[in-house]
Amino acid sequence: MKSVTQVEPTPPSSSSLSLGLNMMRPYEMVHHLVSCNAVVVFSMSDCCMSTVAKRLLFSLGVGPTVVELDEQANGAGIRSVLHQLAGAHQPVPAVFIGGKFLGGVQTLMASHINGTLVPLLKEAGALWL
């Protein structure tokens, strides 16, 4: 599992990306993380649904980048961005695969049950088997 502090920014194409992840605006941080990592889970460390999402991914052999919002200085701002993406749904956990917003734990579990999750993870480069 990678944490946010272990993710190094790629060479910047704009001045905002040359700053560290903690210096980015919430939208920029979310966009950067999901575009540079195969699987990203935005989570709360004390949320049981977040734990379920992470455990499912780990059990499949995926090492997602996990962002614990309650441990981030700009966690509230990131959560606001995720709320906009999720619409009326609960914004945490928020799972991104291959740079695209998959959804929360219900969508993740439904994708696993209906057999679409593993192919999606393979396509994103998160699984090699």
Side-chain angles (χ1 to χ4, degrees):
M1 169 178 73
K2 293 185 270 183
S3 69
V4 171
T5 55
Q6 294 172 318
V7 178
E8 294 294 323
T10 57
S13 59
S14 70
S15 61
S16 66
L17 290 179
S18 65
L19 301 172
L21 287 173
N22 292 330
M23 300 298 288
M24 290 182 182
R25 290 187 204 136
Y27 176 81
E28 294 168 333
M29 183 179 182
V30 169
H31 182 267
H32 179 73
L33 286 170
V34 303
S35 63
C36 294
N37 297 281
V39 180
V40 181
V41 178
F42 291 92
S43 171
M44 297 289 281
S45 59
D46 62 349
C47 172
C48 63
M49 292 297 111
S50 294
T51 300
V52 168
K54 292 181 284 189
R55 286 192 179 192
L56 172 60
L57 291 167
F58 289 135
S59 74
L60 294 172
V62 175
T65 298
V66 176
V67 181
E68 300 292 354
L69 297 177
D70 53 329
E71 298 173 4
Q72 296 296 313
N74 57 353
I78 296 169
R79 192 173 174 136
S80 176
V81 169
L82 297 174
H83 188 65
Q84 291 173 358
L85 287 172
H89 300 287
Q90 181 71 16
V92 175
V95 180
F96 291 81
I97 299 176
K100 298 176 185 168
F101 179 61
L102 177 69
V105 71
Q106 289 179 322
T107 307
L108 181 67
M109 295 299 280
S111 298
H112 178 58
I113 291 167
N114 70 23
T116 60
L117 181 59
V118 169
L120 192 61
L121 292 167
K122 286 180 182 177
E123 184 180 315
L127 288 177
W128 294 277
L129 299 175

